[in-house]
Amino acid sequence: MDREREYEINQMFRMIYEKYQAPLRTIAKRCGVAYDDIDDIVQETFAAYYQTYVMTGAEVKSEKAVLVKILKRKCIDLYRKNYHYVRTELESEEGRVPTELLYKCIEGDVADTIIDRERYREIRRIIDEMKPEWRDVIYYCCILDYSSAEASAKLGISGTACRSRLMRARIYLRKQLGLDYVAQPAE
């Protein structure tokens, strides 16, 4: 492999690591991985990802989903390694806690929570970058849940101006999010 390609791969891997290492640590913690083992299991996850996908040049549609899947499998493997000597029935008191930890590793809620937080941060960043008059209307109407009449009174603008700004802000947000935008059902 030439130096330029190697440099590209290392830069790409560094960006992936910086972007996902914190959420993966959180997922590992919620899966019941001991504090002392979290860094090791996250490192093993990235090493497996690097060997399987980066080095082979395999195409990955969602880095995040692949990393979470690898991490969860690593958590299950660690759990099995640490508890394989203990023979208990699932319904016994000794079997309940480890089984609950194992279920945490395989359910999607933790990953979904992390993804939702990232999505929230992205939406919040877009709102913060909006024109101040749009941002204020979004803040009052969507975040504080004021009606357009209440928001217009707080902002000192007409109800028509408030609704117009809200509509423009939503269109802008929709354009910025692109395919990630999911329309919320009308109440």
Side-chain angles (χ1 to χ4, degrees), residues 114-129:
I114 300 297
I115 290 168
D116 287 345
R117 285 182 189 160
E118 288 177 12
R119 184 177 175 81
Y120 169 79
R121 284 188 203 111
E122 177 67 13
I123 292 170
R124 191 61 199 217
R125 182 192 60 77
I126 293 169
I127 291 171
D128 289 343
E129 292 172 355

Side-chain angles (χ1 to χ4, degrees), residues 58-74:
E59 190 174 323
V60 178
K61 290 185 180 180
S62 173
E63 299 160 343
K64 187 184 317 177
V66 171
L67 285 166
V68 169
K69 186 178 246 184
I70 293 170
L71 177 77
K72 286 188 175 189
R73 288 182 179 159
K74 295 273 182 202

Side-chain angles (χ1 to χ4, degrees), residues 7-133:
Y7 179 76
E8 275 181 35
I9 289 172
N10 286 337
Q11 287 301 101
M12 179 182 64
F13 186 71
R14 182 172 287 134
M15 287 181 357
I16 292 169
Y17 180 82
E18 288 172 4
K19 185 175 183 180
Y20 296 115
Q21 56 93 11
L24 290 177
R25 280 184 168 80
T26 303
I27 292 169
K29 181 180 177 190
R30 293 211 178 143
C31 284
V33 175
Y35 179 77
D36 294 336
D37 295 329
I38 289 176
D39 283 337
D40 292 339
I41 204 159
V42 169
Q43 295 299 326
E44 288 176 20
T45 299
F46 280 107
Y49 178 82
Y50 185 77
Q51 289 173 339
T52 306
Y53 296 98
V54 177
M55 290 304 290
T56 62
E59 190 174 323
V60 178
K61 290 185 180 180
S62 173
E63 299 160 343
K64 187 184 317 177
V66 171
L67 285 166
V68 169
K69 186 178 246 184
I70 293 170
L71 177 77
K72 286 188 175 189
R73 288 182 179 159
K74 295 273 182 202
C75 290
I76 291 169
D77 291 345
L78 179 70
Y79 173 79
R80 287 179 180 156
K81 178 181 157 193
N82 290 339
Y83 292 102
H84 81 282
Y85 297 109
V86 180
R87 179 97 172 137
T88 59
E89 296 295 319
L90 291 180
E91 297 304 316
S92 70
E93 195 58 40
E94 298 86 27
R96 253 182 221 147
V97 173
T99 304
E100 288 172 5
L101 288 175
L102 186 59
Y103 284 140
K104 281 184 178 181
C105 290
I106 58 176
E107 60 185 38
D109 295 341
V110 175
D112 291 341
T113 301
I114 300 297
I115 290 168
D116 287 345
R117 285 182 189 160
E118 288 177 12
R119 184 177 175 81
Y120 169 79
R121 284 188 203 111
E122 177 67 13
I123 292 170
R124 191 61 199 217
R125 182 192 60 77
I126 293 169
I127 291 171
D128 289 343
E129 292 172 355
M130 285 181 180
K131 295 178 183 179
E133 56 269 6

